[in-house]
Amino acid sequence: MTHFDAIIIGAGSAGYNAARILGANGKSVAMVDKGPLGGLCILRGCMPTKTMLRSTDVLQVIRDADELGIQVDNVRADFAAIMARQQRLVKGFQDYRIEGIHRAPNATLIQGAARFAGPDRIEVDGVTYTADRFLIATGSTPSVPEVPGLEAAGYITSDEAMSLTRLPARMVVWGGGVIALELGQFYARLGVAVTMLLRGEHVLSREDEDVQAVVEAALDAGGITLVRNARPLSVEARDGLKVMALAQGDRTVTLEAEEILVATGRKPLLAPLDLDAAGVETPGGCIKVDGQMRTTNPAIFAAGDCLGDFFLVHVAIQQAEVAAHNMLGKSPARTADYRLLASAVYTDPNVARVGLSEKDAAAQEREVLVGKYDFADLGKAECMGKGAMQGFVKLLADPATGEILGASIVGPEGADLIHELIVAMEFRCTAERLMQIPHLHPTLAEIITYPAEEIAEARAERALAIG
Ligand SMILES: Cc1cc2nc3c(=O)[nH]c(=O)nc-3n(C[C@H](O)[C@H](O)[C@H](O)COP(=O)(O)OP(=O)(O)OC[C@H]3O[C@@H](n4cnc5c(N)ncnc54)[C@H](O)[C@@H]3O)c2cc1C
């Protein structure tokens, strides 16, 4: 029986980063992965989607070029070439990651699916391994609701979308979250007639209504049909088509499409781990951890998508770093801190957020001051053209101290612009300080000073009123 200081189950973003930290601190580490090696972000997540979206973003810029005095005739997107480029880049990212896995200090790679055979041991292909500490980092899998006929009629998830070879004429995209929006816009821009089914009234249910409104207007302008409050009832394959019946309020609607993309969320991948044998509790199908990323078995930690909370790669890595620190037994112990929780949707316009939204503030009954500025009123956005003039930057601040508590950006390069606000919040910057920090002109980034100024003015008025 082979013993390690630590066994990491899953060599994706979370597992790989934890293994490197543990190994670099002199611990013997086994990284177990059932393959293919590379992790979701590289193989079927962040990287392939962003590669694909770059193609359709450029396509849109070319389509809008007329506004800039540039005539382009016969614009044609080559889906096969877009997908070939995506697969070539992904192979490069994967090779680089595999090289990193093999070079990780003090680490042994064990290829195969792990299953716990007790609280201190796992089995991989009939071989038992023991360790002092474990990290579960097995990631997630698409969550597909049960609908009569769906399995038989066939569908794709984002996994299959990464290797799709032919564009359907029509596609039903079931979902209104980040994956549905990114892929829905990608296909629509390539000429697919996309119908998007929303469970509720709006896309991106956690975002504020003004954010949702800008995104929905952009989807609408891009020819995507939104079906709100939709509940699929059945699917049937008929004459090469997938025919879906869905309930929308009191009425039943029938949709026909060549393909259905199910993008209704993801769930932790916990099979075939046998977490009962390890004494790890999984209420609601998600691994339960404390702030130190420790499960209900104190020798077993968990990080990343398998927790079922954020499904974001930078959070998976942050949780893995906290877990690795605590697996080393370093003092003081570290705790995961989500004050700077940030996320982005890479649609056009981008949607990005850090910290509080207005919805969060209302739910917490927390008073905030809000400053907001439209890209349509920003000189640089006007220079860039109408595509850059959608959306706004919104800042939320504490009325008493002026500290920035959250920011939403819906607009051009939002996923990059949000970093200024993440840094500002890290250092607990106030609206007053933020507006005084030099910003180049004309830039997209200078927009951030305007809502900061609005908040600073509101605070000054309040101070005068109080007297
Ligand atoms: C379409 C799409 C787009 C995305 N875009 C973004 C984005 O732009 N930005 C962002 O932040 N996030 C994005 N995400 C989410 C991001 O990819 C994940 O949050 C992140 O990759 C999760 O990392 P992880 O280490 O937890 O899991 P993974 O990277 O999935 O790693 C889990 C590993 O565990 C292995 N494994 C599983 N079970 C076992 C077992 N029993 N034994 C051995 N090995 C096992 C698997 O083979 C895998 O290698 C996207 C996701 C999708 C689906």
Side-chain angles (χ1 to χ4, degrees):
M1 195 161 4
T2 314
H3 184 82
F4 294 92
D5 291 330
I7 292 180
I8 312 285
I9 308 174
S13 300
Y16 171 66
N17 281 285
R20 288 203 317 171
I21 295 171
L22 290 162
N25 279 274
K27 299 293 180 192
S28 63
V29 182
M31 248 186 283
V32 188
D33 201 292
K34 66 180 178 56
L37 288 176
L40 178 65
C41 169
I42 290 175
L43 300 178
R44 300 178 311 280
C46 329
M47 300 312 281
T49 48
K50 272 75 243 181
T51 306
M52 288 152 62
L53 288 170
R54 173 69 182 155
S55 295
T56 45
D57 283 349
V58 169
L59 179 65
Q60 193 60 36
V61 169
I62 297 170
R63 284 179 177 151
D64 292 342
D66 191 22
E67 181 198 0
L68 310 179
I70 298 167
Q71 309 300 327
V72 187
D73 300 324
N74 302 324
V75 184
R76 194 180 63 85
D78 180 343
F79 181 61
I82 293 171
M83 296 305 281
R85 172 176 181 268
Q86 178 260 102
Q87 283 155 13
R88 193 175 66 249
L89 262 65
V90 165
K91 175 80 173 58
F93 300 139
Q94 180 187 26
D95 289 348
Y96 186 70
R97 173 53 57 86
I98 293 174
E99 220 181 286
I101 289 175
H102 287 302
R103 278 214 312 259
N106 296 317
T108 305
L109 174 65
I110 299 169
Q111 288 185 271
R115 184 180 69 78
F116 279 94
D120 64 346
R121 63 198 54 218
I122 57 163
E123 252 180 47
V124 183
D125 293 331
V127 183
T128 303
Y129 302 90
T130 56
D132 298 333
R133 298 273 183 278
F134 292 82
L135 176 72
I136 304 169
T138 49
S140 61
T141 187
S143 167
V144 179
E146 277 187 26
V147 173
L150 179 63
E151 276 303 326
Y155 61 89
I156 60 169
T157 67
S158 58
D159 284 356
E160 291 75 36
M162 300 309 139
S163 50
L164 201 66
T165 50
R166 258 199 20 225
L167 277 178
R170 288 166 294 178
M171 182 184 273
V172 169
V173 175
W174 182 7
V178 47
I179 295 175
L181 262 56
E182 290 182 0
L183 288 175
Q185 192 177 55
F186 171 74
Y187 291 121
R189 287 185 161 180
L190 291 175
V192 178
V194 171
T195 303
M196 195 173 279
L197 310 185
L198 309 182
R199 193 177 46 186
E201 271 293 319
H202 297 291
V203 299
L204 302 174
S205 55
R206 289 200 199 104
E207 300 306 323
D208 289 339
E209 279 171 21
D210 49 1
V211 172
Q212 294 169 336
V214 174
V215 178
E216 288 172 15
L219 297 177
D220 185 50
I224 295 177
T225 306
L226 297 182
V227 181
R228 300 169 198 272
N229 303 306
R231 193 164 53 84
L233 299 171
S234 65
V235 182
E236 170 187 355
R238 205 189 295 155
D239 304 328
L241 293 175
K242 297 164 203 236
V243 183
M244 178 186 271
L246 59 91
Q248 195 187 24
D250 294 342
R251 51 188 207 123
T252 304
V253 179
T254 304
L255 295 173
E256 286 183 354
E258 283 72 16
E259 195 53 272
I260 298 173
L261 169 67
V262 180
T264 42
R266 298 183 65 85
K267 59 181 183 195
L269 177 55
L270 303 182
L273 283 174
D274 195 358
L275 292 174
D276 282 348
V280 171
E281 287 175 23
T282 57
C286 302
I287 298 178
K288 185 172 157 189
V289 287
D290 63 15
Q292 296 179 15
M293 313 314 297
R294 208 184 285 267
T295 69
T296 47
N297 176 336
I300 303 181
F301 293 69
D305 280 13
C306 66
L307 302 182
D309 46 16
F310 301 111
F311 300 105
L312 288 165
V313 75
H314 60 281
V315 177
I317 293 170
Q318 186 194 338
Q319 292 171 334
E321 287 169 356
V322 170
H325 174 94
N326 295 329
M327 288 166 79
L328 286 167
K330 288 197 171 176
S331 184
R334 272 181 64 188
T335 326
D337 176 5
Y338 302 114
R339 183 176 71 88
L340 300 181
L341 185 67
S343 60
V345 187
Y346 295 79
T347 41
D348 176 13
N350 283 182
V351 179
R353 174 139 74 91
V354 55
L356 281 194
S357 64
E358 285 191 90
K359 266 187 192 165
D360 294 335
Q364 294 172 18
E365 295 181 10
R366 180 166 191 172
E367 195 199 349
V368 287
L369 286 177
V370 178
K372 191 169 159 185
Y373 198 87
D374 288 339
F375 280 98
D377 296 331
L378 185 74
K380 174 64 187 240
E382 272 194 75
C383 298
M384 290 170 69
K386 65 177 186 205
M389 292 169 65
Q390 318 168 69
F392 55 81
V393 172
K394 179 166 67 175
L395 302 185
L396 274 60
D398 185 307
T401 64
E403 180 183 337
I404 305 293
L405 302 174
S408 292
I409 302 182
V410 52
E413 309 298 346
D416 283 298
L417 293 177
I418 198 75
H419 287 87
E420 175 173 350
L421 293 155
I422 300 175
V423 174
M425 282 181 58
E426 163 71 19
F427 293 103
R428 298 191 179 275
C429 188
T430 60
E432 286 80 0
R433 292 291 301 275
L434 188 56
M435 71 179 221
Q436 286 162 4
I437 294 172
H439 284 73
L440 300 190
H441 172 76
T443 58
L444 290 175
E446 70 180 324
I447 192 172
I448 286 164
T449 57
Y450 299 116
E453 197 176 340
E454 190 184 333
I455 290 171
E457 281 169 10
R459 278 188 11 98
E461 275 170 30
R462 283 164 73 107
L464 273 178
I466 292 166

